[in-house]
Amino acid sequence: MAENPLRFRDDQQADEPAVSLGAFLEQANANSVRIEAGDDVRLLIPALDRVRLVEIDFPRFRDGRGFSSARILREAGYTGELKATGDVLLDLLAFMRRCGFDSFAPDSPIDPAEAELAFNRYPHVYQHAADPPDSPWAVPIWKLRHA
Amino acid sequence: MKILVHELGAEEFARQVEEEFAHFVTLGTDFPQAEYDRIAAYFAPPPFETGLSGEIDRSDPAFALWVDRQVAAHKAPGYAIANISLKPIGGIPGDISAEQMDLVADLAERYSFDELRATHAQNLVLPHVRKSDLYAVWQALDEAGLADVNLDLVSDIIACPGLDYCSLANARSIPVAQKLAERFADIDRQRDLGELKIKISGCINACGHHHAGHIGILGVDRKGTENYQLLLGGSGAEDTTPAKITGPGFDEDGVVDAVERAIERYRAVREPGERFLDTYRRVGMEPFKEAIYG
């Protein structure tokens, strides 16, 4: 499999295709799951310890439910790959990362150099979110001010 | 949001919000008191002088009229809040020239701790003026044509830019506001009518908040011509109510006449001390409809 330039992880990619949430919950040995807009991602929480890849699909850019799905999983302690697929646009990337996505497979390709610019557009945040632990976003501006 | 609340029911919605909030608290996203204090410091009150006189010299009658209508009480002794009307009769609601704005900025700098506010009612406010400075402020405003005395009166009309300036609009708003103000130009008549908030929007996006006007006017497009719906009984104040449509719409001159008929009906049936809105709430739509449509 070709290297995904919009994958921000060092570990090996999961080697099996992602299955639907329903199928995943029925297959005790599956490790990759695909979340559609409207799926209740909280159903996945009890099974998180065997998940290596969660793909969250964005059918259209204006359907933002995938953002919530992502941060719910991160807040529940999920540390595996979280991949945004579908109508993923350049100006959404930084917010997606802040919600916990660490890999992107947009329907329309995004230039990695432009993605890099988008990620670095705003170095400071008012509030931490499901940010990558090593990113400057993980420390909100008030912590820097009142350290 | 309203659909979600409708589906879940208000109680279940509130429960879920509380649950989510409790979860957020565990994430440590709240900022510390030090950050709160840092931001609050930007909103500290200005350094008010103490021991100022609470008296206003009202010996100039024109000034006294302006004080009674445009000046409001301030919480700091010796200070007052000065409302600057941007509603000269026949003018464009909320318009001010660059020269006038320069003057107002100077007044703010000199007399109001460098502070000037714009209101949703399309007027300006000098929020902290020493009572002893009010006369000087009024004289400067008067000289610049900014001393109109009509705050909250029938000519203090809120109007969106309308079709003259806005690409979303279906109808013009400004000419309707101008015609209404001219119709009620007589200041004695305005004072007799008391608080009466007319609000005009040139399309359903409602930038003029016509639905919250004691009298509201909504411009619509009817088969390519401008048409104005008339609404009564709205309030955007603490006693919020949405206004109700009176009936079929009017053309530009027709809506001005209809507003006058509604106002004349109010004058005929009001009880002492009642505002237009109070009378409407007491007697309901029918008497007004009858006056408007005959």
Side-chain angles (χ1 to χ4, degrees):
Chain A
M1 198 187 291
E3 191 86 346
N4 175 4
L6 294 178
R7 183 175 189 268
F8 302 91
R9 299 182 63 88
D10 299 328
D11 60 354
Q12 201 66 32
Q13 294 196 36
D15 47 8
E16 59 183 62
V19 297
S20 73
L21 179 60
F24 180 87
L25 294 174
E26 280 167 17
Q27 296 169 23
N29 59 348
N31 68 22
S32 297
V33 56
R34 177 172 180 78
I35 303 295
E36 308 289 344
D39 281 349
D40 185 351
V41 80
R42 289 172 295 188
L43 297 174
L44 192 58
I45 291 174
L48 278 184
D49 54 355
R50 65 178 163 102
V51 184
R52 289 193 53 208
L53 168 67
V54 180
E55 287 182 8
I56 296 182
D57 187 54
F58 289 82
R60 318 175 88 164
F61 78 91
R62 65 168 189 248
D63 188 334
R65 289 175 288 183
F67 286 87
S68 301
S69 297
R71 67 118 182 131
I72 285 168
L73 292 176
R74 288 299 188 212
E75 286 169 7
Y78 176 62
T79 56
E81 181 169 350
L82 200 47
K83 186 195 269 187
T85 67
D87 199 9
V88 173
L89 306 178
L90 178 64
D91 56 349
L92 302 179
L93 284 187
F95 300 104
M96 286 178 165
R97 282 214 81 181
R98 297 213 61 208
C99 288
F101 287 103
D102 53 11
S103 137
F104 303 89
D107 282 348
S108 308
I110 292 176
D111 178 349
E114 289 194 2
E116 188 63 17
L117 281 175
F119 289 133
N120 293 311
R121 180 70 181 83
Y122 298 104
H124 298 300
V125 299
Y126 284 112
Q127 194 175 51
H128 68 74
D131 299 300
D134 56 348
S135 104
W137 298 328
V139 184
I141 189 76
W142 50 260
K143 255 192 189 151
L144 298 174
R145 282 192 181 119
H146 304 287
Chain B
M1 180 66 85
K2 67 184 180 191
I3 293 165
L4 186 62
V5 173
H6 183 74
E7 296 268 309
L8 287 174
E11 240 170 71
E12 173 59 13
F13 179 80
R15 192 195 63 74
Q16 289 192 21
V17 169
E18 290 294 338
E19 188 179 279
E20 186 70 9
F21 181 71
H23 168 66
F24 275 137
V25 170
T26 68
L27 299 177
T29 49
D30 260 1
F31 54 84
Q33 185 65 34
E35 179 67 354
Y36 177 92
D37 294 342
R38 188 188 69 84
I39 294 168
Y42 286 105
F43 299 91
F48 294 121
E49 290 170 50
T50 53
L52 295 176
S53 162
E55 293 299 308
I56 298 173
D57 179 357
R58 300 166 54 91
S59 49
D60 182 332
F63 170 63
L65 282 177
W66 181 79
V67 169
D68 288 341
R69 175 57 49 192
Q70 302 293 127
V71 174
H74 197 287
K75 64 182 174 183
Y79 287 86
I81 299 165
N83 287 283
I84 302 171
S85 170
L86 299 184
K87 310 292 175 64
I89 299 297
I92 294 171
D95 253 26
I96 183 167
S97 72
E99 291 76 19
Q100 287 174 319
M101 199 65 209
D102 270 340
L103 172 98
V104 172
D106 287 343
L107 292 175
E109 188 174 23
R110 185 156 173 208
Y111 296 113
S112 188
F113 295 98
D114 218 1
E115 197 173 323
L116 177 70
R117 301 183 190 175
T119 74
H120 83 281
Q122 301 172 323
N123 292 311
L124 294 175
V125 177
L126 295 167
H128 319 288
V129 182
R130 277 189 298 244
K131 284 181 176 173
S132 56
D133 289 334
L134 280 173
Y135 190 63
V137 168
W138 173 76
Q139 282 180 308
L141 289 173
D142 194 34
E143 209 165 296
L146 289 169
D148 283 281
V149 179
N150 56 357
L151 189 73
D152 292 339
L153 297 181
V154 64
S155 63
D156 190 5
I157 299 167
I158 297 176
C160 76
L163 199 53
D164 291 305
Y165 295 101
C166 175
S167 56
L168 300 175
N170 296 128
R172 289 167 300 159
S173 302
I174 291 167
V176 177
Q178 289 169 317
K179 283 185 179 174
L180 278 168
E182 276 156 12
R183 181 71 60 92
F184 293 96
D186 180 4
I187 189 65
D188 292 326
R189 188 181 187 194
Q190 290 194 49
R191 270 202 290 272
D192 171 66
L193 295 173
E195 183 187 301
L196 213 176
K197 299 186 178 183
I198 298 183
K199 307 186 188 214
I200 307 173
S201 306
C203 80
I204 53 166
N205 288 308
C207 293
H209 291 188
H210 62 276
H211 54 294
H214 298 181
I215 296 176
I217 294 171
L218 168 63
V220 294
D221 176 295
R222 208 181 56 179
K223 294 175 190 142
T225 60
E226 293 162 295
N227 190 263
Y228 296 93
Q229 293 178 354
L230 183 60
L231 301 91
L232 301 179
S235 171
E238 293 80 356
D239 56 353
T240 321
T241 43
K244 287 204 174 79
I245 296 177
T246 55
F250 305 88
D251 65 14
E252 185 178 313
D253 289 322
V255 79
V256 174
D257 290 338
V259 166
E260 188 170 32
R261 288 198 293 273
I263 288 177
E264 284 310 313
R265 177 55 55 99
Y266 151 70
R267 262 169 41 81
V269 302
R270 69 181 169 185
E271 286 180 354
E274 268 186 345
R275 301 170 302 162
F276 179 91
L277 182 64
D278 303 322
T279 301
Y280 172 85
R281 284 175 173 167
R282 179 171 56 79
V283 305
M285 178 65 92
E286 273 317 307
F288 290 101
K289 254 184 151 161
E290 187 190 281
I292 294 165
Y293 296 102

